[in-house]
Amino acid sequence: MSEGYGWRFRIVLAGAWVVLLFLLVPIFVSAPISLTPDRFLTLPKDGVSLRNYENLFTNPDWTSSIWQSLVIAVVSTVIATSLGTLCAVGLWRIASRWSELVRGFVLLPIIIPSIVSALAFYRIFVDLGLLDSYPGVIMAHAVLAVPYVVITVSTSLANFDLRLEQAARNLGADMRQTLRMVILPCIAPGVLAGAVFAFISSWDEIVVTLFISKLNIFTLPRRMWSGIRDQADPTIAACATTLIFLTILVIGSQMWLRARRLRAQSQAEGAA
Amino acid sequence: MSSSTGTIALEGLDPRGKQPSRINPYWVLVLPLVLFLLVLYLYPIGQVLWISFSDPDVGLQNYERLVTNRGILKMLGNTFRICFITTGISLVLGYLIAYAMAHVTDRHRIWILMFVLVPFWVSVLARAFSWVVLLHDNGIINRALLDWGVISEPIHLVRNELGVLIGMVHYMIPYAVLPLYANLRGIDPRLVSAARGLGAGPFESFWRVYLPLSLPGIAGAGLLVFILTLGFFVTPSILGGGKTLMIAEYVSVQILQTVRWGVGSMLAMVLLVLVFLVFAVMSRIVDLRTMFGAK
């Protein structure tokens, strides 16, 4: 694999791989621990056991947290994706000084540190009576996820030919028809990617959730958070390992798809 | 900037009202999100700002603490020190990876990218948990060292600044790699070849040609990492174990435990201003719109 590399570069490369292995430490740690048969955090010595995974998926505390996180992530993803996509299309079509200003404004939730957002949501939800409620957490997560949607949709709009939209308008389509029949189908991959990012951001969100939830809302990150603080339960290791492997699966399949698309593209170009 | 649609007047922005203002119909698509964010985000942030000036009494007394309260000063000092060290280490290690990535074969690069992206997306809690398990007094490292007789007492690797640094560097490396790599890819390799051809050694041509060319990338990545570390909450608070307080956790203690909204929101606003300042500096060095993929 490294036939053409000089010896100096090989040393650099070796250093880079050491750092990359450091990045993988969490996987090396949590996976073996999740298989321990003991009731506390140890490496398995005499045999492995799946009891932590069983606990993760059958213990009502953990399963209810998984469900809560899923419901919250799905609903907030739907809200963030629809608002964010519409906004990105509008901004793309307007393209003026004002729209640049608005673009900066809608990116604020990822620029502003989450602790500041947490205080803001806490404040307003006290007034609205939404503390520790599904609508509160869902709306907060939607706000935090919106910038990811706007960014990914804007990126895919950048590759979209404005003239297609104009042609549709000239042929008599109104804005709603143009949007539904011309623009959205063309940028669907970008919207989907935005939705995936929105989902992950909600699924993994902890700081804001810590502030605006109490007893009712106990998302998976919140359960992990309190578990790590009390640190005794190896179920967290099972949970962490599951999350890590889901991530590998998603990233791996994404990269595989992209590589396949690129290959198909270059083949098509080669044929033409 | 298209000039055909450049004469947009938002409602209320044209007070003279002489001409019927031409509003681009596509604002209808933008408006829902803007309203959503105004009500649920900007307005409450404004409230927090107001609290920082008005709780318990109207005035600047909360901000006065920034220069008079020793606890707060010490905490801010900790925060900046940890952020600087984290940024420095992440940049060096990230540069190593980005440099390797820019100079390997395509196949090899995909593997490296994969190894960078997976930790990038892995839950921050899962990572913090793994570090606790590894570094704790009864953790894997200490257990192993005790068993092998290398040490007779556990060394404290976590619940202190060292633990915070390890966890934060681990979290920030991918954030350093990605902008650095984008920058290094743009450097023309012929410039280095030219330096070599003119008699510079490999080290010299890197030091005097390649590295200076990558300075914008280093600055961009460094500022990005620095901003993220400033407001970082989860990793410092789990790996610091309450002993190494950084600003975000300090704010949360003020609000959730001691219920001093004035001090808490003052510090939150200080953090906000700091972040915006760094962004302002950053926008002079790198095109933020490219960084956010908006262009």
Side-chain angles (χ1 to χ4, degrees):
Chain A
M1 203 149 87
S2 48
E3 51 291 346
Y5 306 146
W7 65 271
R8 285 188 198 84
F9 183 65
R10 282 181 197 223
I11 294 176
V12 173
L13 203 55
W17 275 101
V18 171
V19 183
L20 289 168
L21 289 181
F22 166 70
L23 290 181
L24 293 193
V25 163
I27 302 177
F28 299 142
V29 174
S30 69
I33 287 188
S34 69
L35 296 171
T36 182
D38 299 321
R39 282 175 191 281
F40 37 88
L41 297 167
T42 51
L43 290 171
K45 278 189 187 128
D46 345 289
V48 294
S49 142
L50 288 176
R51 58 183 298 268
N52 295 316
Y53 288 91
E54 192 192 326
N55 195 41
L56 175 64
F57 293 111
T58 55
N59 179 316
D61 286 348
W62 284 95
T63 50
S64 85
S65 284
I66 293 174
W67 278 114
Q68 284 197 354
S69 276
L70 257 182
V71 169
I72 290 167
V74 167
V75 181
S76 64
T77 298
V78 170
I79 297 174
T81 310
S82 19
L83 291 176
T85 303
L86 291 181
C87 179
V89 171
L91 292 178
W92 166 73
R93 192 58 195 77
I94 295 165
S96 73
R97 198 147 30 96
W98 286 106
S99 67
E100 287 303 308
L101 200 73
V102 171
R103 199 185 286 283
F105 173 67
V106 300
L107 292 184
L108 281 181
I110 53 167
I111 296 170
I112 292 180
S114 48
I115 187 77
V116 181
S117 309
L119 292 197
F121 288 124
Y122 191 31
R123 264 330 294 177
I124 186 131
F125 289 163
V126 169
D127 295 348
L128 298 176
L130 287 176
L131 275 186
D132 202 21
S133 73
Y134 276 96
V137 178
I138 285 169
M139 284 196 289
H141 282 196
V143 168
L144 298 175
V146 143
Y148 298 106
V149 178
V150 174
I151 289 172
T152 47
V153 174
S154 297
T155 315
S156 69
L157 281 167
N159 303 318
F160 176 62
D161 194 341
L162 194 64
R163 284 171 303 184
L164 277 176
E165 186 263 359
Q166 284 161 347
R169 297 301 296 267
N170 285 340
L171 291 169
D174 62 27
M175 188 162 71
R176 190 181 296 183
Q177 286 169 324
T178 320
L179 191 64
R180 212 187 59 213
M181 286 154 43
V182 180
I183 301 179
L184 282 183
C186 287
I187 57 166
V191 176
L192 191 70
V196 170
F197 288 139
F199 184 90
I200 295 177
S201 104
S202 163
W203 176 258
D204 203 26
E205 207 291 321
I206 176 69
V207 182
V208 167
T209 313
L210 274 182
F211 271 74
I212 59 175
S213 59
K214 220 181 221 148
L215 301 168
N216 277 326
I217 304 293
F218 222 98
T219 60
L220 193 60
R222 241 196 106 188
R223 191 157 304 280
M224 290 181 75
W225 171 270
S226 39
I228 295 170
R229 301 227 123 184
D230 312 335
Q231 52 154 288
D233 188 358
T235 312
I236 308 168
C239 184
T241 311
T242 311
L243 290 178
I244 290 171
F245 277 96
L246 283 177
T247 313
I248 295 177
L249 209 68
V250 172
I251 304 272
S253 60
Q254 271 248 318
M255 290 188 64
W256 182 72
L257 280 176
R258 205 173 61 177
R260 216 177 55 156
R261 213 170 40 227
L262 283 176
R263 216 175 308 140
Q265 227 166 45
S266 63
Q267 266 168 12
E269 275 161 16
Chain B
M1 312 292 134
S2 75
S3 55
S4 59
T5 51
T7 47
I8 293 150
L10 282 168
E11 282 173 279
L13 282 174
D14 187 3
R16 286 157 299 167
K18 279 177 192 160
Q19 293 172 320
S21 43
R22 284 197 299 128
I23 299 176
N24 189 319
Y26 275 90
W27 279 108
V28 175
L29 302 182
V30 177
L31 218 54
L33 178 59
V34 170
L35 289 178
F36 186 69
L37 289 181
L38 277 178
V39 175
L40 275 173
Y41 200 57
L42 204 62
Y43 167 68
I45 286 181
Q47 271 191 320
V48 175
L49 177 64
W50 169 240
I51 293 169
S52 73
F53 287 109
S54 64
D55 183 280
D57 305 298
V58 178
L60 287 171
Q61 77 274 21
N62 288 323
Y63 288 87
E64 213 181 294
R65 286 170 204 263
L66 265 188
V67 279
T68 55
N69 186 308
R70 304 194 87 186
I72 291 180
L73 278 173
K74 188 164 168 256
M75 178 276 296
L76 285 177
N78 277 341
T79 308
F80 281 117
R81 189 180 57 247
I82 293 173
C83 290
F84 275 121
I85 300 175
T86 305
T87 308
I89 301 176
S90 309
L91 275 181
V92 173
L93 300 182
Y95 197 96
L96 195 61
I97 296 180
Y99 184 87
M101 252 174 98
H103 293 89
V104 291
T105 56
D106 285 346
R107 268 187 88 85
H108 199 152
R109 179 175 311 122
I110 289 193
W111 280 103
I112 299 184
L113 189 64
M114 180 93 179
F115 275 61
V116 173
L117 285 183
V118 166
F120 187 74
W121 282 109
V122 163
S123 150
V124 57
L125 285 166
R127 297 199 240 170
F129 165 76
S130 302
W131 284 114
V132 170
V133 172
L134 195 68
L135 302 173
H136 196 255
D137 283 4
N138 288 316
I140 297 176
I141 290 182
N142 271 312
R143 205 76 67 73
L145 291 178
L146 285 170
D147 284 353
W148 296 334
V150 181
I151 50 172
S152 54
E153 273 193 13
I155 27 178
H156 303 302
L157 300 167
V158 80
R159 286 175 202 280
N160 55 26
E161 202 168 306
L162 179 66
V164 175
L165 282 173
I166 295 175
M168 282 179 57
V169 166
H170 181 262
Y171 189 87
M172 293 301 164
I173 285 176
Y175 285 96
V177 170
L178 298 175
L180 276 172
Y181 171 68
N183 174 266
L184 296 188
R185 283 285 277 177
I187 294 178
D188 191 337
R190 284 174 302 181
L191 291 169
V192 179
S193 313
R196 298 294 304 273
L198 291 169
F203 185 74
E204 201 182 4
S205 58
F206 172 78
W207 190 252
R208 293 187 46 189
V209 177
Y210 196 84
L211 193 66
L213 284 171
S214 60
L215 277 179
I218 296 176
L223 291 171
L224 177 71
V225 171
F226 188 73
I227 290 177
L228 292 171
T229 50
L230 264 186
F232 210 6
F233 178 84
V234 175
T235 302
S237 101
I238 289 178
L239 295 173
K243 296 209 175 100
T244 307
L245 275 189
M246 286 175 61
I247 188 164
E249 194 185 2
Y250 195 90
V251 170
S252 106
V253 171
Q254 294 303 312
I255 303 293
L256 294 179
Q257 287 168 31
T258 50
V259 200
R260 292 199 298 180
W261 267 90
V263 178
S265 45
M266 178 274 289
L267 284 168
M269 287 303 126
V270 169
L271 177 60
L272 191 63
V273 170
L274 280 175
V275 167
F276 279 135
L277 278 180
V278 182
F279 259 113
V281 173
M282 209 164 141
S283 68
R284 297 187 168 251
I285 301 173
V286 283
D287 187 0
L288 288 183
R289 281 180 298 188
T290 6
M291 249 188 70
F292 282 112
K295 245 194 171 177

